[in-house]
Amino acid sequence: FIKKSLLENALFTGMSEISLQELVDAFEKKKASRGENIVCQGDNCDGGYVYLVAEGKCRVLVDDVIVPEPYGIIGPGVVFGELGVLYDEQRAATISVKSEEVTYYQIPGEIFKATLNKPAESLSTMQEVDALINQITGTQALYGGDIILPYKPERLWLWRQFSGTVLTISIETMVVSMLACAVFVTFAREASGEVPWSMEFVVPDKDLPFVQRLSQLHQIWDIQRALTTFVLTFFVNQSFDFWKAVYQLGRDVQGKLNGFNLVLATNVKRNEDGELTPESEAFLKDVGQFSRLFHVLMWAGKAKRFSILTSPEGLQRMESRGLMNEKQRLILLDLKLTNDQLFIAPLEWMMIRSNRAVAEGTLDSDNATKSTLLREYMFLRNAYCAISDKLDGRMPLAYVNFVQLLVDSFVLFTPIALYADLGEFSVLAV
C-alpha cells in the first residue's frame, strides 16, 4: 500500500527503486481515534514526521476552524506534513481524526528528506511552486491566499505597507536621482565658491553669475511641471481604469464559474429524498476539479508571478498536491499549446463531462439547461480573450515612452531648477 501510494504521488517520481524501498521501509504503522490530533498548528517540524493515511479520514483545522472541502478532508493514500519538513516551517494546520479510527503511517522527517534527496535548486523551485499553489488555490484560513491583497483604509496600516506600493516601484530610481542631485549640489557649491554640505539652510547668493543662470532655468521648469502634472494625472487615471476593467473581468470569471457549477448542481439527478445519487456526486466532483484547474491555469497563463505553475515542474507539483491526476498532467504536457493556452483543456473537459452526464441521464437534457451551460461556457472562454485584449491594448508604446521621458527629465531637472531657492536641500525635492 505504501509503495503504491507513493508512486501515485508526483513528488516521488524519478526515485530509484532502492531509494523508494528505503523510504517504504522507514514508515511505521500507527492508529488514532476520533478527535485525536496527529499534528497541531504551530508545532515545530524539527524532529517531526511525514504522514500517509491508510484507512479513515482526517479533517484540517486552522485556528480551530474546520477548513471547507476539498482542502479540509484528508483520506486514504494522501501524504501530508511534508511541506513543513521539507522547508523547515511550522505546521500550518491541525490535522484531527474525523472517522471513528484512522490508520496511518509515519516516517521521521530527517529520513524523509535524506531519502528524497532533492537538490537544493530543485527544492527551491518546488518551494516557490508550493507557495504559489497555496496562494492561488488555498482558502483564506488555510494559507492566507489572496490574489488581490485586502485594503484597509486606516492611516497607520497604510503607513506600514511597503510591498506592492509606489515606494517598492520607485525607491531605486529615487535613490539614484538623489545621488545624482547630491553630485550636482557638490559641483554647484564648488563652482560658486561656497562651502559644500554645511547642512544649514542657507540660500545661495543669487548675485553670483552661476546661480543667476540656474534661476533662469526655473522658469522653464515651471512650464515643464505644469505639463508633467497634466500628462501624469491623465496617465494615472487611464491606468486605474485599466486595472478596474481587468479586475472586473477576473471577478466575472469567478462568478461565471460559480454560476456554471450552480446550474449543474440544481439540474443533476437526485433521489426521492433530494440526496445526490452516486453518479451525480462523481459528476459534480469531476467538474469542480476541472473548474479549479481551469482557474489556476488561466491566471498562470496571464500573471508572470504564477507562470511557473505551467512549467513541467509546476504541473508535476500540482499533481502531487492533488490539483490534477497523472493522466491530466500527461495530456497537458502532450498538447500542442503554449503554456498560456493550457487552460483551454480543463475548460473543454468541463463541457465534455457535462455532455456525457446528459447522455448518461445524470444531468437534465432539456434545451434550457443545455443553452445555459453553453452560454456560461462561452462566457468563460470569451472572458479570457477579453483579458488578453485588455493587456495587449492597455496603452500605446509611444505614449508610455513619452510619459516616462517626461517624468524622468522632470525629476532630474528639479534639483537644478530649485538650487537657487533651496540650495543643498534641493536634494530632498527629488
Side-chain angles (χ1 to χ4, degrees), residues 69-71 136-138 257 261 284-299 318 322-324 343 346-347 350:
E69 294 190 44
Y71 308 106
I136 205 167
T137 67
L257 278 175
N261 284 279
L284 292 177
K285 184 177 180 181
D286 288 344
V287 176
Q289 188 256 323
F290 297 154
S291 300
R292 290 189 294 273
L293 185 58
F294 157 75
H295 207 208
V296 170
L297 294 179
M298 188 197 79
W299 285 115
M318 284 199 289
L323 271 72
M324 68 177 81
F343 78 96
L347 186 58
M350 290 165 59

Side-chain angles (χ1 to χ4, degrees), residues 36-203:
E36 285 188 45
N37 293 334
I38 298 177
V39 299
C40 294
Q41 181 181 356
D43 283 354
N44 195 312
C45 288
D46 186 23
Y49 293 84
V50 175
Y51 305 89
L52 170 64
V53 178
E55 296 176 359
K57 290 185 178 181
C58 298
R59 61 163 56 98
V60 182
L61 300 94
V62 175
D63 298 330
D64 296 324
V65 176
I66 299 175
V67 175
E69 294 190 44
Y71 308 106
I73 298 296
I74 297 176
V78 176
V79 175
F80 68 91
E82 80 281 14
L83 298 184
V85 169
L86 287 173
Y87 310 139
D88 297 320
E89 297 174 344
Q90 290 183 337
R91 301 293 187 187
T94 296
I95 308 300
S96 177
V97 177
K98 180 177 184 293
S99 52
E100 284 296 329
E101 187 178 70
V102 161
T103 301
Y104 65 94
Y105 296 92
Q106 66 181 30
I107 179 175
E110 292 182 1
I111 296 178
F112 179 82
K113 288 180 70 173
T115 309
L116 196 62
N117 195 26
K118 288 280 186 182
E121 182 178 349
S122 174
L123 197 61
S124 176
T125 301
M126 193 168 72
Q127 186 172 10
E128 180 185 356
V129 171
D130 275 324
L132 292 176
I133 291 174
N134 292 347
Q135 186 177 15
I136 205 167
T137 67
T139 63
Q140 176 74 24
L142 184 54
Y143 297 119
D146 292 294
I147 301 304
I148 297 176
L149 296 178
Y151 175 73
K152 302 176 183 178
E154 292 93 0
R155 183 181 291 106
L156 292 178
W157 182 87
L158 290 171
W159 275 103
R160 291 197 300 269
Q161 303 314 300
F162 179 75
S163 178
T165 65
V166 68
L167 287 176
T168 311
I169 301 170
S170 62
I171 188 168
E172 292 184 5
T173 303
M174 182 179 68
V175 170
V176 171
S177 298
M178 292 183 73
L179 290 175
C181 179
V183 172
F184 166 76
V185 168
T186 302
F187 168 77
R189 302 291 277 189
E190 293 286 351
S192 58
E194 297 176 298
V195 179
W197 304 108
S198 62
M199 299 310 294
E200 296 180 4
F201 186 71
V202 179
V203 177

Side-chain angles (χ1 to χ4, degrees), residues 226-278:
L227 178 62
T228 303
T229 302
F230 172 77
V231 171
L232 197 57
T233 299
F234 177 76
F235 183 82
V236 170
N237 284 334
Q238 290 294 102
S239 300
F240 182 63
D241 288 342
F242 166 74
W243 178 87
K244 285 197 300 183
V246 174
Y247 172 81
Q248 187 58 52
L249 282 171
R251 289 305 189 195
D252 287 344
V253 169
Q254 289 179 312
K256 289 298 180 179
L257 278 175
N258 290 335
F260 187 91
N261 284 279
L262 180 61
V263 171
L264 297 180
T266 53
N267 287 277
V268 293
K269 187 177 180 180
R270 294 174 181 266
N271 296 324
E272 292 182 0
D273 58 359
E275 294 283 333
L276 292 172
T277 64

Side-chain angles (χ1 to χ4, degrees), residues 13-33:
T13 56
M15 288 186 68
S16 67
E17 184 66 28
I18 295 176
S19 297
L20 186 62
Q21 192 58 49
E22 288 179 357
L23 203 61
V24 171
D25 293 340
F27 276 95
E28 59 177 330
K29 192 173 183 178
K30 294 284 186 179
K31 289 182 180 290
S33 302

